[in-house]
Amino acid sequence: MKIRVFDNAHDAGVYVAALAEQVVERQAKPVLGLATGSTPIPFYQALIRLHQCGLDLSNVTTINLDEYIGLTPSHPQSYARFMWENLFSHVNIPETQIHLPNGVASDLEAECIRYDEIIRKNPIHLQVLGIGVNGHIGFNEPDDTLLSRTHIVNLCPETVASNARFFQHIDDVPKRAITMGVQAILQADQIVLMAFGREKAEIIAKAVFGEVRTDVPASILNLHKNVTVVLDKDSASELFDESGVLRRK
Ligand code: F6R
């Protein structure tokens, strides 16, 4: 794992956008795996700026990690709407090349199979991840086992509580989601795990330096050959030794 620590989330976002640009320029049909939540916003802002400076994204396919069950794509808190507002409405990725799970599909099991088929047909070149305070990636929550395929998940109470900041009331937060499984994440050519803020410091230390354990889902990234962990100083604060030197992975 490579670890890159930036002064702030803005600078980190610029770095991740530069990594995405390399993929977009090198691949004939680049595929980006994307996340929602607060963490990737500086990356999306930097990618939008790169697009305004001339980066063409018309060949890009995107595959998002997850979506809440029960929210239509137009719901203000759906991840589809989040992606539209924070990225897609500002760049030239054709709508037909944008993929998110459908959280209101009438047959959710069939929806998981449909989504795995999309991932199979469009192998991901660069997967961008955030991390939950409990170590989840996508919505692969801590458990005795981690599921490899796209699946329906019951969100942990701490995930519901953490995501309540986007809703008027905690009772409005959906308790279930569809998430890409860990196999699709690990099959990406390159993975970038982003985390900002002091509240992520402890779980980042566990994920980066701890053993691989299913109750710390992000630790599974240690099994991948090309992972870059992109942090600000706060989220990296538990990775420094007593003399203030960044421990090496
Ligand atoms: C969202 C996702 C989640 C978030 C994680 C961190 O698509 O996959 O794993 O990345 O919950 O969320 P924030 O960035 O809001 O702290």
Side-chain angles (χ1 to χ4, degrees), residues 62-108:
T62 64
I63 303 184
N64 262 80
L65 283 164
D66 39 26
E67 178 61 281
Y68 288 120
I69 289 178
L71 301 192
T72 61
S74 61
H75 188 285
Q77 307 308 337
S78 75
Y79 285 167
R81 176 84 171 263
F82 173 96
M83 289 306 301
W84 178 253
E85 286 175 359
N86 287 285
L87 182 65
F88 298 144
S89 64
H90 307 282
V91 296
N92 66 336
I93 304 173
E95 259 187 82
T96 50
Q97 289 159 215
I98 290 170
H99 304 286
L100 283 105
N102 176 6
V104 288
S106 53
D107 182 342
L108 291 169

Side-chain angles (χ1 to χ4, degrees), residues 20-52:
E21 176 173 17
Q22 286 176 9
V23 170
V24 171
E25 294 291 340
R26 278 186 200 148
Q27 302 290 339
K29 294 200 163 185
V31 182
L32 302 179
L34 300 178
T36 56
S38 316
T39 308
I41 289 177
F43 158 53
Y44 295 143
Q45 289 171 341
L47 192 61
I48 292 165
R49 281 197 300 276
L50 278 180
H51 171 65
Q52 289 163 347

Side-chain angles (χ1 to χ4, degrees), residues 34-40 64-66 79 129-133 136-140 159 162-163 165-166 179 199-200:
L34 300 178
T36 56
S38 316
T39 308
N64 262 80
L65 283 164
D66 39 26
Y79 285 167
L129 299 172
I131 182 171
V133 284
H136 72 216
I137 47 175
F139 276 139
N140 293 279
T159 300
S162 167
N163 291 358
R165 69 192 192 277
F166 299 111
T179 184
E199 70 277 12
K200 299 282 173 75

Side-chain angles (χ1 to χ4, degrees), residues 13-227:
V14 171
Y15 174 72
V16 178
L19 295 179
E21 176 173 17
Q22 286 176 9
V23 170
V24 171
E25 294 291 340
R26 278 186 200 148
Q27 302 290 339
K29 294 200 163 185
V31 182
L32 302 179
L34 300 178
T36 56
S38 316
T39 308
I41 289 177
F43 158 53
Y44 295 143
Q45 289 171 341
L47 192 61
I48 292 165
R49 281 197 300 276
L50 278 180
H51 171 65
Q52 289 163 347
C53 296
L55 178 65
D56 178 21
L57 297 173
S58 62
N59 286 336
V60 171
T61 292
T62 64
I63 303 184
N64 262 80
L65 283 164
D66 39 26
E67 178 61 281
Y68 288 120
I69 289 178
L71 301 192
T72 61
S74 61
H75 188 285
Q77 307 308 337
S78 75
Y79 285 167
R81 176 84 171 263
F82 173 96
M83 289 306 301
W84 178 253
E85 286 175 359
N86 287 285
L87 182 65
F88 298 144
S89 64
H90 307 282
V91 296
N92 66 336
I93 304 173
E95 259 187 82
T96 50
Q97 289 159 215
I98 290 170
H99 304 286
L100 283 105
N102 176 6
V104 288
S106 53
D107 182 342
L108 291 169
E109 293 295 345
E111 176 59 11
C112 294
I113 293 168
R114 181 192 76 88
Y115 210 63
D116 275 336
E117 195 54 19
I118 290 172
I119 298 165
R120 194 186 62 75
K121 285 190 186 143
N122 299 278
I124 297 171
H125 297 114
L126 174 67
Q127 176 65 58
V128 176
L129 299 172
I131 182 171
V133 284
N134 64 2
H136 72 216
I137 47 175
F139 276 139
N140 293 279
E141 299 279 34
D143 210 336
D144 294 341
T145 52
L146 293 174
L147 298 180
S148 55
R149 316 297 294 257
T150 299
H151 57 281
I152 296 161
V153 63
N154 293 317
L155 299 176
C156 290
E158 59 215 310
T159 300
V160 173
S162 167
N163 291 358
R165 69 192 192 277
F166 299 111
F167 292 79
Q168 282 204 320
H169 194 272
I170 190 164
D171 293 341
D172 299 335
V173 185
K175 309 290 178 293
R176 293 194 307 157
I178 299 183
T179 184
M180 200 188 267
V182 291
Q183 184 183 31
I185 294 173
L186 290 177
Q187 277 175 350
D189 289 347
Q190 184 182 358
I191 299 175
V192 173
L193 175 68
M194 304 174 75
F196 305 128
R198 187 67 191 82
E199 70 277 12
K200 299 282 173 75
E202 218 169 293
I203 193 66
I204 281 292
K206 271 194 199 164
V208 171
F209 289 124
E211 46 187 88
V212 176
R213 327 165 36 136
T214 60
D215 59 356
V216 184
S219 66
I220 203 163
L221 300 175
N222 285 290
L223 304 176
H224 193 280
K225 288 199 205 79
N226 189 356
V227 178

